[in-house]
Amino acid sequence: MWFLGVMPAYSAEDDALVTKLVSFYPASSPTTSTHHATVLLFDPSNGILKAVMDGTVITDKRTAAVSAIATKYLKQKDLDVLCILGAGPVAVSHYEIFTQMFPFKQVKVWSRTRQRVEKFAETVKGPVQICASVKEAVLDADVVITVTLATEPILFGEWVKPGAHVNAVGACRPNWRELDDELMKNAVLYVDSRAGVMSESGDVILSKEWPLKTRWLQNWFMIVGKLKTNRSHELKKKTDSNLLKIISLKRMMLNQSNGMAGRN
């Protein structure tokens, strides 16, 4: 299970031509990362390479930032319990920004590998409850974050409480899944890119809900654009009126994030 992702982007506004290369490999040990990234910056006027930068930190921080912004505008009022499924560097970045932005009283984390989750607990600055199973971690959680690179569902809808917010990050390939059909059926789905989800998200593509959602694709909301204040306000304006009824019904909110080159 490995692949190399190529994410090119051009911004006329910023006069930038950039490509991020990111490799995904099974971790060689419980303490090594599954992904490594490099960012190449070109001169858009002549194509000359101007800089080679580490892209792993950018990837980890950017991914967590998008999840945090989605949670800020799609969450229910009270957030007491945070659940993180996965314990790699992206999980650490999520812990850092989520505990800074939201007043969680409890953080629960699960990983397939005990050594990896223990390293996670040692790395983060704050209390963590290590859970023996996904179900134990998910029960009663107000926010659930999945960053596992799972190829089969590990998170089941019957475990997620009504009104919870789920950030699905790990299954970034069309044949990978973290979420089961029950969760996909009951969640209100928000995406960062329609085109990206249709071609890359195994959670959506492999779900039995996929044919239904393609028919209603024009009604899906996209969390798009640069992470700038004006764009965030635009997002808030759009979601305020649309979410009042959904939130009142205590529907599960799902942010499916596959990543966009322009955000890097």
Side-chain angles (χ1 to χ4, degrees):
M1 183 188 72
W2 65 270
F3 72 93
L4 176 67
V6 181
M7 303 175 68
Y10 170 69
S11 171
E13 178 183 355
D14 300 312
D15 193 33
L17 178 61
V18 183
T19 294
K20 186 176 82 170
L21 306 175
V22 56
S23 62
F24 291 82
Y25 275 76
S28 57
S29 75
T31 58
T32 59
S33 178
T34 57
H35 65 279
H36 307 275
T38 300
V39 175
L40 307 178
L41 176 65
F42 299 89
D43 186 329
S45 66
N46 55 29
I48 295 176
L49 181 65
K50 298 177 65 177
V52 178
M53 301 176 287
D54 172 74
T56 302
V57 173
I58 292 175
T59 299
D60 296 347
K61 300 295 186 182
R62 191 278 311 166
T63 303
V66 172
S67 295
I69 290 173
T71 303
K72 178 180 179 180
Y73 293 119
L74 302 177
K75 68 177 177 64
Q76 305 290 340
K77 290 184 178 180
D78 299 321
L79 298 181
D80 294 326
V81 181
L82 171 65
C83 165
I84 302 176
L85 304 180
V90 180
V92 171
S93 293
H94 275 80
Y95 177 95
E96 292 172 345
I97 192 169
F98 272 75
T99 53
Q100 289 177 18
M101 287 184 60
F102 307 106
F104 290 106
K105 299 176 182 178
Q106 183 182 20
V107 180
K108 300 192 289 184
V109 61
W110 169 89
S111 174
R112 295 185 185 89
T113 308
R114 182 73 183 186
Q115 186 175 350
R116 184 176 289 271
V117 76
E118 289 176 348
K119 180 185 177 183
F120 174 97
E122 294 172 356
T123 300
V124 300
K125 298 178 180 179
V128 172
Q129 177 184 335
I130 298 176
C131 297
S133 68
V134 174
K135 183 177 180 179
E136 178 189 352
V138 171
L139 290 178
D140 299 323
D142 300 294
V143 175
V144 180
I145 301 168
T146 62
V147 282
T148 66
L149 297 184
T151 57
E152 298 291 338
I154 60 164
L155 178 59
F156 293 84
E158 63 180 294
W159 300 339
V160 182
K161 75 176 187 180
H165 176 82
V166 178
N167 290 297
V169 178
C172 56
R173 299 293 291 164
N175 57 337
W176 294 3
R177 292 190 69 177
E178 292 182 302
L179 317 177
D180 78 332
D181 289 337
E182 184 70 15
L183 192 153
M184 297 300 296
K185 176 181 178 181
N186 293 323
V188 178
L189 178 60
Y190 288 76
V191 302
D192 53 6
S193 166
R194 298 183 186 183
V197 164
M198 291 173 65
S199 62
E200 298 173 359
S201 173
D203 283 324
V204 175
I205 295 171
L206 300 178
S207 170
K208 294 178 181 177
E209 296 301 298
W210 172 245
L212 172 63
K213 293 188 185 301
T214 53
R215 291 199 296 271
W216 289 96
L217 191 60
Q218 67 273 16
N219 291 329
W220 286 10
F221 181 82
M222 293 195 302
I223 301 170
V224 299
K226 298 179 180 178
L227 303 180
K228 293 184 178 179
T229 302
N230 63 331
R231 182 64 71 172
S232 295
H233 285 315
E234 179 182 346
L235 170 61
K236 188 175 189 301
K237 180 184 292 185
K238 288 181 179 179
T239 56
D240 279 347
S241 60
N242 295 336
L243 291 179
L244 288 178
K245 183 176 181 180
I246 294 173
I247 290 175
S248 68
L249 296 174
K250 294 291 185 180
R251 292 292 303 278
M252 184 195 315
M253 309 300 289
L254 169 60
N255 167 45
Q256 183 75 49
S257 179
N258 281 76
M260 298 174 63
R263 286 187 179 153
N264 292 283

